[in-house]
């Protein structure tokens, strides 16, 4: 049975965060290996499994923990402060357990029935072709940026279902496929987030039964088939709110990691020009304060947003569209502010920061790679938020 949504899980949450803190040293040591492999090392995935990180948002009926989202994101931020690539994969793969909980029970049994530890990767952009077939759909095509796919045995792929009636709009769905129905194209050669292994997924005329699909509109309305068997308030959150934070929260941890590295380096550094202590330089001190403030702001807004959402769903109330639109914008702006913080630290670090062994360089490249994700572009969310504030209807249903 699902856990009591009002039970006190503070001890369990603290345990997860402590485990993340303990892993930081090992994750930092493996960061270079992750970059070289262009995927998260197997030992890191094993550590995440043992710590229970992939089960944080998984239903208790399948051995999951059903933790509060703030705990999930706190763990992701902690991991990102040591290795942003590892945190990125943790965030997007672990959040898929949450979405699978929204699918019909048969789909959950297909994936977790034999092994509740089975992992799922994704690529939600609807870049493939979908055709209706008896009992389901035929899909083909190429989907990019499937982070962590090497470690997963299933994949979520986005696609538009053609309308049954001419003139009607297509329907956006997520399609669930087993590893036997797709291949991975190893084309992940990038400058930032190198260790995420975000390779392409290629599908050739695979059949997907109806029960292995999830309608975007069901996630938007918080009325998914899985809600009947996973009634915890956690699964009443809108899909868009959980997913966008899984790809923006790593940037907060990366910014914290950059600040930690900057403080450690600056405390020992002396200026080559005059031998003065860099820690006593007013500009250095100001940069530290500004970066710390930006990081604190993004953390505070993240926590505030999910506390508000969870309070509403626990009381059986809807999350108003204007609030969803604002939260969506907040998610994208978190990355913008973290980029600003890391840029300030990187610029103030001097020439040594551009060397390949510099920790500041990794955080700089990784946070800019995170900013390049479609969900982390603030322009459309900003226009939508401004429009809604001025009386228009939302144009974004991924909220």
């Amino acid at each position: 049975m699902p856990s009591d949504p009002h039970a006190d899980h503070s001890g369990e949450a603290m345990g997860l965060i402590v485990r993340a803190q303990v892993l930081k040293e090992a994750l930092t040591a493996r960061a270079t290996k992750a970059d070289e492999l262009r995927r998260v090392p197997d030992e890191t995935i094993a550590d995440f499994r043992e710590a229970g990180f992939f089960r944080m948002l998984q239903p208790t009926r399948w051995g999951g923990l059903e933790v509060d989202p703030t705990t999930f994101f706190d763990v992701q931020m902690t991991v990102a402060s040591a290795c942003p690539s590892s945190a990125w994969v943790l965030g997007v793969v672990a959040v898929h357990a949450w979405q699978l909980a929204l699918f019909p029970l048969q789909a959950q049994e297909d994936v977790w029935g034999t092994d509740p530890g089975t992992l799922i990767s994704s690529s939600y952009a609807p870049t493939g072709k979908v055709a209706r077939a008896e009992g389901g759909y035929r899909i083909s095509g190429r989907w990019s940026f499937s982070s962590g796919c090497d470690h997963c045995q299933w994949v979520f792929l986005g696609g538009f279902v053609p309308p049954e009636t001419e003139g009607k709009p297509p329907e956006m769905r997520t399609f669930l496929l087993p590893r036997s129905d797709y291949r991975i194209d190893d084309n992940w050669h990038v400058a930032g987030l190198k260790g995420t292994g975000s390779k392409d997924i290629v599908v050739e005329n695979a059949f997907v039964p109806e029960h292995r699909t999830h309608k975007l509109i069901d996630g938007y309305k918080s009325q998914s088939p899985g809600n009947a068997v996973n009634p915890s308030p956690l699964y009443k959150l809108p899909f868009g709110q959980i997913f966008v934070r899984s790809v923006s929260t790593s940037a907060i941890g990366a910014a914290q990691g950059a600040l930690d590295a900057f403080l450690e380096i600056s405390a020992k550094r002396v200026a080559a020009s005059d031998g003065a202590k860099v820690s006593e330089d007013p500009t250095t001190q100001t940069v530290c304060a500004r970066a710390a403030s930006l990081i604190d702001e993004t953390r505070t807004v993240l926590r505030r947003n999910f506390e508000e959402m969870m309070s509403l769903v626990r009381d059986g109330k809807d999350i108003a569209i204007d609030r969803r639109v604002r939260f969506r914008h907040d998610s994208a702006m978190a990355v913008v502010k973290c980029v600003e913080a890391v840029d300030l630290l990187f610029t103030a670090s001097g020439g040594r920061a551009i060397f390949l062994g510099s920790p500041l360089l990794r955080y700089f490249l990784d946070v800019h790679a995170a900013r390049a994700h479609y969900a982390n572009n603030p322009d459309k969310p900003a226009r939508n938020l401004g429009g809604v504030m001025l009386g228009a209807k939302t144009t974004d249903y991924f909220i």
Side-chain angles (χ1 to χ4, degrees), residues 54-262:
F54 289 122
R55 296 185 291 114
M56 286 188 285
L57 300 181
Q58 189 166 337
T60 55
R61 69 181 301 123
W62 297 110
L65 303 176
E66 291 188 12
V67 303
D68 188 281
T70 55
T71 299
F72 173 67
F73 293 120
D74 280 344
V75 169
Q76 187 181 0
M77 283 187 280
T78 302
V79 171
S81 68
C83 178
S85 285
S86 296
W88 184 277
V89 170
L90 171 61
V92 298
V93 172
V95 85
H96 295 149
W98 182 89
Q99 189 186 8
L100 183 57
L102 306 183
F103 274 66
L105 179 59
Q106 182 60 57
Q108 298 173 47
E109 292 175 343
D110 290 350
V111 176
W112 289 325
T114 302
D115 180 7
T118 301
L119 304 179
I120 306 169
S121 68
S122 71
S123 181
Y124 290 105
T127 54
K129 295 181 179 180
V130 179
R132 292 181 178 273
E134 184 176 355
Y137 308 88
R138 289 278 174 186
I139 76 170
S140 299
R142 176 181 290 268
W143 286 259
S144 297
F145 303 105
S146 188
S147 302
C149 58
D150 291 304
H151 303 288
C152 300
Q153 294 304 312
W154 291 76
V155 69
F156 284 144
L157 300 175
F160 282 117
V161 174
E164 292 186 278
T165 304
E166 187 175 350
K168 296 289 185 179
E171 180 183 69
M172 177 69 177
R173 294 198 187 195
T174 300
F175 296 84
L176 171 64
L177 285 77
R179 188 71 169 262
S180 57
D181 283 354
Y182 62 89
R183 65 180 175 86
I184 297 171
D185 184 5
D186 184 2
N187 60 349
W188 189 246
H189 301 277
V190 294
L193 293 176
K194 297 177 184 178
T196 62
S198 304
K199 303 166 185 177
D200 280 12
I201 301 296
V202 181
V203 181
E204 297 176 4
N205 194 33
F207 175 73
V208 182
E210 178 72 32
H211 73 268
R212 290 187 194 158
T213 71
H214 179 233
K215 299 178 183 179
L216 175 65
I217 192 64
D218 287 346
Y220 170 77
K221 293 179 177 179
S222 297
Q223 296 176 355
S224 298
N227 291 136
V229 293
N230 297 310
S232 167
L234 174 65
Y235 305 109
K236 286 292 188 178
L237 292 170
F239 171 56
Q241 299 296 335
I242 287 282
F243 175 77
V244 295
R245 278 297 186 174
S246 76
V247 294
S248 69
T249 301
S250 290
I252 304 175
Q256 183 63 59
L259 177 57
D260 293 342
F262 183 84

Side-chain angles (χ1 to χ4, degrees), residues 19-31 78-79 81-83:
R19 277 171 242 162
Q21 290 283 359
V22 170
L23 281 174
K24 282 182 63 175
E25 183 177 354
L27 295 173
T28 300
R30 293 177 197 151
T78 302
V79 171
S81 68
C83 178

